[in-house]
Structure formats: structure tokens, C-alpha cells
Amino acid sequence: MKKTITTLLLTLVCMAAWCGSEVNRPRLIVGIVVDQMRWDYLYYYYDQYDDGGLKRLLNNGFSCENTMIPYVPTVTAIGHSCVYTGSVPAFSGIAGNNFLLNGVNVTSVTDNTVHAVGSSPENSDGFCSPRNLLANTIGDQLKLATNFKSKVIGVALKDRAAILPAGHSADAAYWWDTKAGHFITSSYYMDKLPRWVENFNRNNNTESGFDIKTSNKGVTMTFKMAEEALKNEHLGKHETTDMLAVSISSTDAIGHTYSTRGKENREVYMQLDKDLAHFLRVLDREIGSSNYLLFLTADHGAVHNGNFLNEHKMPGGGFSSRPAKEKVNNALAQHFGVEGNYIKEVMDCRLYLDREFIAAHNLDFTQVKKKVVETLREDPQFAYVLDYEDVQNSTVPQFLRERIINGYHRLRSGDIMVVLQGSHMHGTVGPTYKGTSHGTWNPDDSHIPLIFMGWNVKEGSTSTPTFMTDIAPTVCAMLHIQMPDCCIGNAIQEVWK
């Protein structure tokens, strides 16, 4: 009997000790998304990087060298939401930077029920929140796992790049308002900017109308704001794990203007590397190098400029929607005997038919859509033209079929997708055009860097295929928290020790 009681007591003691033990987690998660960073920039500029910046991530972290985006179109808002939700537009509802919602053209973060905070309330740059996002994020799951004790903050120049990564339950998201010349937020998060943000804005204000998004200064400003958030919000110094989501937007604006080559692109990546090295030193000092889990990735890549490729005898070009719309309108007017605009919007190679126009003229929507597809298929610049509702029965290669289906939200993505020929981008490429764009399935746009470093991350790399949707479940698996509710990715087990 005594032996039984002793055994029972020992069992209860062990259970109590087990139940009282803490789950091993880092003090802070830091996510860094570099807008429009092609994977090969890691190595194209490698010899020029500082040992403490991108080289440090590659040398001391774990690099997933074959990470692809598993959907189209490959654009900013979808990329930022995918990184932090592990989901795709089919479930997240973020169908593009812009899309039609109930027939109205909205941005990914449009919310007219809130107003700007830190600027005049009627400033449209503040009509923003994560409410268009139908999935939750790493930060949301972290909040749930810690009974909302964790603190989650997003920082970026672009509103969507701050808001979507931070998630629904974030404590704050801050983005740059060019009109005000400083960082703002919206009433979704708070009624008044914290004093430290007001002080930062006062000390770092720019002239109204000066767009730091197109300058290297934007990189530095973003990291400075992230550093201030880290210190003033005491991130990584609470009883539970905190999260800081940082997005660098200037790399995208400069790439669109100057393309993937040349001094402007080099200079912005040198600035990124310099500011990243400084930020990592701050994290080391404030949190401890083994106490934070950091990942760096991109929301998408970019295709080389078509004129640049042509000069070197390589195929390349661009897609202009205006001639395509004119061709469709003429063909359908002749076929149905009704003149007008059959296409309401073209966004990121997605075509939205004008349903009101079609209904007003008593035309059969299915037949109109079929005729639009037939007309566009005559154009050799398109590799494929697809009815979104019939992609599964198309002759498109399986991998591309899956990406198109993943990228399609039935209420927000439109009716038809055009797939461009390789090394082509959506947007006019005139003889003097020197910029770039993105949005296609091609590796230029869809092959992204992905590096983890810090807490429990082993040094090394893998060329095993991984996907953008694997980032969120990897972080969540390492923290022993549930992955986001619409996540379709898998944890990359090689990352941690």
C-alpha cells in the first residue's frame, strides 16, 4: 500500500513539474520582407556585402535556396499576406494589390470605416486595416497561444506591407504618409499615436510630397522606425514572445523605375545591407543573438527589362492592356452587335468583365466570356488565356494550373487570366523604357530568398523545393503554436536544430 501511495505521489509530482514547465520559445520573432528582392541578388552582389549584413545571414543562418511562390499573380499585397498566413488568395482573399470587391476597385487594405491617426482624419492614406484579409497570421496565432500577452507590431513604408504581416490582432502597424511626411496608422489600432512615434516623426519628418519610397533614404528610415519600435515597445522583454514585422519598400519602387541592373539598384542593396547589419547589431545588443528568431524573404522578384534582354539577343517584352481591350471590344461588337466596353478592369493579367454592361444588353455572360477568351488566344504574346472557372480542364502544365487556381478567389479575382510568354511582364515596354515589373509565374518573379537565423536555427542550406507558404508553418512549428487558420504550407524541418 505504501509503495502504491509513494508511486502515486511521485507521478503527481512529475505531472505537476511537467505541467508547470514552460514551452521553449525565443523572446522575439523578427520577420523582414524585402520588396522585389530577386533570389539571385543574394549572390549577384555577394562580394560587395558587409560581413555583418546579408553575408551574416547566409553564413550563420539557414538558407532555403529553392523557395518558390506557389500562386499567380506575384505581387506585393499577396506576397506579404502569404508569408505571414502560409495561405494563398483562394483562401486569404488578398487577390492583388487592387481588386474588385462587390464591383468596387479597392486596395488590399481599404477600409472606409476607419480613419487616419497621425494625419488629418480625412486623409485617404489612413483608410486602412487588415479587414480584407480573410485569414489570420503568425502574429494572430502567437496572440492566441499566449492569451494575447504577446505584442505584435508591423512597420513599412507601404500601408499593405505593414498591415497585412502584422495581422488582425496586432498592437500596431505604422506606414509612411507622403502627404504628411511621416509615419501614420489608423483608428483600427489606436486613437492617438504613441508619444515615441510623435517624437520620431518630429525628428525625422520630411517635406510634404517628398516620396522616400523611391530613395535609399526609405530603407534607412524603415529600419530606424523598426529600431524605435523595438526599444520603446520593449519588444522581446516581456514574459511571452513578441513579434516585429518589417518590410523594406524602397527596393521595389527603385526597381520599377530603374530595373534589375545599374547603379540605382546596386546602391539600394548596398544601403539595405548596411542598414540590416546595423539592425542586427541592435537586436544582438537589446535581445541577445541567441534569443531572437529572424527570417528574411521577399514578396516577389522582378523580370529583367525587356529592352535590356533584347539588346543581348534574349526574348523579353511587355503586355499593354489597352490594345488587348480594344481588340476584344471590336471583336465582340462585331459578334454580338453591341458596341461598348466589355472589360471593366485589367489588373495583374486578370480581366474583370463588365457584368453590368453585359446584363444591361441582355447578353449571355458565359458566351461573352467564351468569346473574350477566343479573341485573346489569337494574340501570340499570350502563352495561355484561361477562363478562371475552367482552369482545371485546360491544357496548361500542371504546376502552372495549380498556381493559377491557388491565386484565384472566386469573388475577387475576376473572370479571365492571361499568361504571358517567358521573360515578359505586364506593362508597356517602349523603346526608352528601362524599368521592371513583376506578377508572372516565371522564376524571375517567383523565385525568392528565404533565410532563417538566430534562435534554434542551424547553419546550412537546402536546395530541396520549398514554398513561400512554408514560412509561417515553419515559424509556428518552432514555437510550438498552431499554424494560421488558412495555412496550406509545411514546416521546413531542416531549419532548426
Side-chain angles (χ1 to χ4, degrees):
M1 183 65 178
K2 290 183 178 179
K3 184 176 181 181
T4 302
I5 294 174
T6 301
T7 302
L8 179 60
L9 288 172
L10 286 172
T11 302
L12 291 173
V13 169
C14 290
M15 287 180 65
W18 178 80
C19 292
S21 64
E22 295 183 0
V23 177
N24 186 24
R25 289 174 182 150
R27 290 164 57 182
L28 179 67
I29 306 165
V30 180
I32 300 176
V33 178
V34 183
D35 204 321
Q36 204 187 112
M37 184 176 182
R38 290 169 55 103
W39 165 81
D40 58 358
Y41 288 164
L42 289 174
Y43 302 100
Y44 184 70
Y45 297 118
Y46 182 85
D47 293 342
Q48 302 169 63
Y49 290 143
D50 184 90
D51 288 339
L54 288 164
K55 272 188 181 179
R56 175 180 170 185
L57 296 188
L58 285 168
N59 295 335
N60 297 349
F62 190 91
S63 180
C64 302
E65 296 283 287
N66 193 15
T67 302
M68 305 297 289
I69 298 176
Y71 59 78
V72 284
T74 48
V75 296
T76 296
I78 307 179
H80 280 81
S81 62
C82 179
V83 167
Y84 287 88
T85 66
S87 193
V88 292
F91 299 110
S92 72
I94 303 301
N97 295 330
N98 289 71
F99 46 85
L100 294 189
L101 182 60
N102 299 321
V104 178
N105 189 332
V106 300
T107 76
S108 58
V109 293
T110 294
D111 185 352
N112 292 322
T113 69
V114 301
H115 59 79
V117 172
S119 181
S120 57
E122 64 273 14
N123 183 352
S124 60
D125 286 348
F127 298 165
C128 300
S129 86
R131 288 193 173 112
N132 288 338
L133 178 63
L134 304 180
N136 66 30
T137 64
I138 300 171
D140 292 325
Q141 290 295 340
L142 183 62
K143 289 271 193 178
L144 288 166
T146 62
N147 294 319
F148 297 91
K149 295 177 181 177
S150 295
K151 187 170 283 191
V152 177
I153 294 177
V155 174
L157 298 183
K158 292 182 180 180
D159 50 16
R160 56 187 178 267
I163 293 168
L164 297 174
H168 298 276
S169 60
D171 296 272
Y174 301 106
W175 57 94
W176 186 264
D177 178 4
T178 300
K179 297 174 187 175
H182 59 232
F183 281 98
I184 66 168
T185 188
S186 81
S187 58
Y188 178 88
Y189 303 98
M190 61 192 73
D191 297 325
K192 189 178 188 302
L193 289 178
R195 180 166 295 180
W196 71 262
V197 178
E198 292 180 340
N199 291 338
F200 181 89
N201 284 340
R202 190 161 39 249
N203 295 329
N204 295 277
N205 195 51
T206 67
E207 181 181 350
S208 177
F210 176 71
D211 189 3
I212 66 172
K213 295 174 186 175
T214 57
S215 73
N216 296 344
K217 184 177 181 179
V219 178
T220 304
M221 189 75 79
T222 304
F223 275 116
K224 285 178 67 176
M225 181 63 173
E227 181 179 337
E228 289 301 304
L230 175 77
K231 294 177 179 178
N232 287 279
E233 297 291 347
H234 308 291
L235 299 180
K237 297 182 179 179
H238 299 107
E239 61 178 297
T240 58
T241 303
D242 296 324
M243 183 167 187
L244 177 60
V246 184
S247 181
I248 306 303
S249 305
S250 294
T251 43
D252 181 72
I254 289 172
H256 278 297
T257 305
Y258 299 104
S259 192
T260 59
R261 292 291 184 265
K263 70 180 184 67
E264 294 85 1
N265 197 67
R266 176 191 172 279
E267 287 172 356
V268 74
Y269 276 92
M270 294 303 102
Q271 190 67 53
L272 168 69
D273 185 57
K274 177 182 177 181
D275 292 338
L276 173 63
H278 172 78
F279 187 61
L280 292 177
R281 289 193 295 271
V282 171
L283 289 171
D284 293 344
R285 183 176 65 249
E286 295 289 325
I287 311 299
S289 59
S290 61
N291 293 325
Y292 63 87
L293 170 61
L294 179 145
F295 66 83
L296 180 143
T297 188
D299 55 347
H300 54 73
V303 69
H304 293 302
N305 177 274
N307 292 322
F308 166 78
L309 291 173
N310 295 163
E311 288 173 8
H312 295 276
K313 301 181 181 180
M314 299 181 193
F319 157 55
S320 176
S321 62
R322 182 177 295 178
K325 290 174 69 174
E326 290 177 355
K327 184 176 182 178
V328 165
N329 288 333
N330 292 335
L332 270 66
Q334 184 176 356
H335 182 79
F336 292 107
V338 177
E339 293 188 357
N341 294 317
Y342 287 81
I343 300 175
K344 186 172 184 177
E345 298 279 0
V346 179
M347 304 180 191
D348 306 320
C349 297
R350 298 165 293 139
L351 280 66
Y352 295 79
L353 300 186
D354 194 327
R355 293 171 181 261
E356 293 181 358
F357 171 82
I358 294 168
H361 291 86
N362 298 315
L363 299 175
D364 183 279
F365 181 80
T366 301
Q367 292 303 312
V368 170
K369 182 165 58 171
K370 181 180 179 181
K371 187 60 181 178
V372 173
V373 171
E374 290 176 355
T375 302
L376 291 174
R377 281 177 177 169
E378 297 172 0
D379 193 329
Q381 70 175 315
F382 302 130
Y384 296 97
V385 180
L386 303 161
D387 176 349
Y388 262 131
E389 291 289 344
D390 195 40
V391 175
Q392 190 61 46
N393 297 316
S394 69
T395 57
V396 175
Q398 179 62 30
F399 84 94
L400 181 53
R401 184 185 304 135
E402 291 179 359
R403 294 189 191 187
I404 294 170
I405 292 172
N406 284 343
Y408 172 60
H409 188 280
R410 68 181 186 86
L411 300 178
R412 301 181 178 186
S413 292
D415 306 294
I416 295 167
M417 165 160 273
V418 294
V419 179
L420 306 181
Q421 301 288 358
S423 296
H424 282 61
M425 64 184 186
H426 62 86
T428 304
V429 179
T432 61
Y433 179 71
K434 61 179 181 179
T436 186
S437 190
H438 50 85
T440 73
W441 65 269
N442 306 75
D444 280 349
D445 289 354
S446 64
H447 188 190
I448 56 172
L450 174 57
I451 311 173
F452 295 86
M453 191 189 79
W455 178 85
N456 275 10
V457 175
K458 65 183 181 184
E459 296 180 7
S461 65
T462 181
S463 291
T464 301
T466 53
F467 297 93
M468 179 186 273
T469 46
D470 297 335
I471 299 171
T474 300
V475 173
C476 291
M478 294 180 71
L479 269 62
H480 299 286
I481 64 176
Q482 180 62 281
M483 65 182 68
D485 58 355
C486 293
C487 180
I488 66 168
N490 297 290
I492 309 167
Q493 297 183 22
E494 300 101 311
V495 169
W496 63 89
K497 298 175 182 177

